[in-house]
Amino acid sequence: MTRIWEQDALAGVTFPNGFAAGAARCGLKSEGDDVAVIAAETPVAVAGVFTTNRVQASCVGHSRRVARSGAARAIVCNAGNANACNGELGERDTLRMAEAAAGLLGAEPGQVLVASTGVIGHPMPIERAEAGIGAAAAALARGSGTDMRVARAIMTTDTRPKLIAVECETQHWPGPLRLAGVCKGSGMIAPNMATMLCFLTCDARIAAPQLQEALAVAVARTLNRVTVDGDTSTNDMALLMASGRGPCHIDGRGPAFDAFAEALERVCRYLAREVARDGEGATHLVEVLVRGAASEAEAERVARTVADSPLVKTALFGRDPNWGRILAAAGRAGVAFDPATAEVSLGDITVYAGGRGTPFDRDAAHDYLTGGEVRVVLDLHRGTQEAILWTCDFSYDYVRINAEYHT
């Protein structure tokens, strides 16, 4: 049995043994820190999952190559400029960012992962970025204050930092595993990997192939099940570094690996929910549960269609228990089910069953939809499989934020 408990809400990527971090301001954003460095004491095992958008920022290709090598020394991230669609200049600037960090840390550029987020198509002010990397590297430290600065430095339209740190105990290793993560994401969220930047650290001793396997599964079940607006970013990546400085030693598949994978999934699920909760202009965190499906893939397909529906999302913003929009979205998902046997519920309130709307207390439903978290449940009654997607409502502010984003 694995026991997992959360640490201080301010703790993050430096909580696991073997990591330090720093943040600095170089003027890529209008205010606040906008460059962060997360560094290991020595080269460590690394894994990564990246956007499948065919339009990809230069940092994606660079960091994918580092992850494939299986060893990394640091992550460098800037916010305020995506360095995407900048051609050869963008490629050179990504490499210069890696070289800047590598020179300061005594590492190789091929050991430095690079992540960028912000406006697409603007050349990177590379001298400013290099100065920011230098300042962040000079500020490397451990502790919750540093972790919070890193979380804020990577934000763009996010309204709050997203970070978590946990300790895990199990009979399968002699002492606690430390595992932590930081994430950014608020808009352009429709996973085809994980439409966000997510950086994870742990102090387990585990080989890179097993680390990659655990991360890929965790992302598929968590970060890849978040959608805010149906748009997949050019810069998405989730990166995981394992320092090997803790008592958790994992050698291949087995109970120890399963316990590690469980803990990693818990951390990623927390971050995924926080991204949905902080969707641009959101007033609700919405969980869409589809159950009674013939397969998990079918359940996920229906859940994603419902979660992406602008009509469903605007109804939820209006506190309107409009089950017709939910059922109609499910019906266009391309999954065979019988509407006469399906059921739709909002929380514990059943609003549709037996092929027609059911009598329900509309005031109670409106009150339920006024809360900060809403659960939409659709039971297809055709199997035993289920899937969960996390999303948010569409408010007036979503349009305002994105209409004004570039200018």
Side-chain angles (χ1 to χ4, degrees):
M1 180 178 180
T2 303
R3 188 162 74 97
I4 303 174
W5 65 96
E6 289 188 25
Q7 294 296 310
D8 184 333
L10 301 181
V13 290
T14 70
F15 181 68
N17 297 300
F19 294 99
R25 172 166 177 75
C26 68
L28 299 180
K29 295 195 301 191
S30 60
E31 60 183 10
D33 292 337
D34 46 22
V35 176
V37 175
I38 303 167
E41 295 172 358
T42 58
V44 299
V46 66
V49 185
F50 302 89
T51 183
T52 58
N53 193 326
R54 294 187 65 83
V55 180
Q56 298 184 357
S58 58
C59 60
V60 172
H62 172 87
S63 294
R64 183 183 283 113
R65 290 188 291 272
V66 176
R68 284 176 178 166
S69 77
R73 181 69 189 282
I75 299 169
V76 172
C77 179
N78 76 273
N81 187 307
N83 192 19
C85 303
N86 287 326
E88 293 182 2
L89 176 62
E91 300 286 346
R92 290 197 298 270
D93 288 344
T94 290
L95 181 58
R96 284 181 63 173
M97 292 174 67
E99 290 173 339
L104 294 164
L105 299 172
E108 297 296 325
Q111 296 175 327
V112 178
L113 301 136
V114 178
S116 298
T117 182
V119 179
I120 294 171
H122 287 201
M124 176 71 73
I126 190 60
E127 289 79 13
R128 275 193 276 167
E130 288 172 328
I133 291 168
L140 287 177
R142 293 174 56 87
S144 59
T146 293
D147 294 334
M148 184 58 71
R149 283 193 66 181
V150 168
R152 292 188 179 280
I154 68 174
M155 291 166 51
T156 49
T157 58
D158 307 61
T159 67
R160 61 177 73 93
K162 305 167 183 69
L163 67 168
I164 184 175
V166 301
E167 280 190 335
C168 317
E169 283 189 339
T170 176
Q171 62 187 15
H172 305 300
W173 52 70
L177 162 74
R178 290 188 167 194
L179 177 61
V182 62
C183 193
K184 68 82 51 184
S186 185
M188 198 178 275
I189 304 289
N192 231 332
M193 188 298 290
T195 312
M196 61 195 74
L197 298 179
C198 181
F199 309 133
L200 302 149
T201 57
C202 70
D203 55 16
R205 189 171 74 193
I206 179 173
Q210 283 71 52
L211 199 67
Q212 182 67 43
E213 180 181 354
L215 179 63
V217 172
V219 165
R221 293 175 176 170
T222 59
L223 301 177
N224 238 12
R225 292 190 178 179
V226 180
T227 179
V228 168
D229 50 22
D231 276 305
T232 297
S233 174
T234 57
N235 291 54
D236 308 344
M237 63 180 75
L239 305 173
L240 169 59
M241 296 193 294
S243 71
R245 297 299 183 90
C248 171
H249 298 169
I250 300 168
D251 185 12
R253 296 298 302 271
F257 174 85
D258 292 342
F260 173 79
E262 176 190 353
L264 177 61
E265 187 171 327
R266 288 271 294 272
V267 167
C268 290
R269 183 181 301 111
Y270 173 86
L271 294 171
R273 286 172 55 88
E274 289 303 292
V275 169
R277 191 190 308 276
D278 194 30
E280 288 174 339
T283 64
H284 297 86
L285 167 64
V286 181
E287 181 175 279
V288 180
L289 167 63
V290 173
R291 60 191 180 199
S295 68
E296 184 178 2
E298 281 192 359
E300 182 181 350
R301 187 170 180 176
V302 174
R304 191 177 298 280
T305 306
V306 172
D308 272 336
S309 168
L311 292 179
V312 171
K313 293 155 75 70
T314 50
L316 294 174
F317 172 65
R319 283 64 169 169
D320 178 9
N322 192 332
W323 55 262
R325 293 184 175 184
I326 297 168
L327 194 65
R332 64 178 170 83
V335 172
F337 70 93
D338 186 354
T341 58
E343 293 184 30
V344 178
S345 301
L346 299 172
D348 295 330
I349 304 170
T350 300
V351 294
Y352 173 90
R356 65 192 64 185
T358 60
F360 64 92
D361 185 334
R362 290 189 171 272
D363 289 337
H366 183 275
D367 290 344
Y368 174 71
L369 295 177
T370 301
E373 295 192 15
V374 171
R375 195 179 211 210
V376 175
V377 182
L378 175 60
D379 195 330
L380 302 181
H381 284 294
R382 64 183 252 107
T384 60
Q385 300 301 303
E386 65 180 41
I388 292 176
L389 264 287
W390 295 284
T391 187
C392 60
D393 57 336
F394 267 168
S395 72
Y396 309 123
D397 280 342
Y398 176 81
V399 176
R400 178 188 58 77
I401 290 167
N402 283 281
E404 298 174 355
Y405 180 68
H406 189 267
T407 54

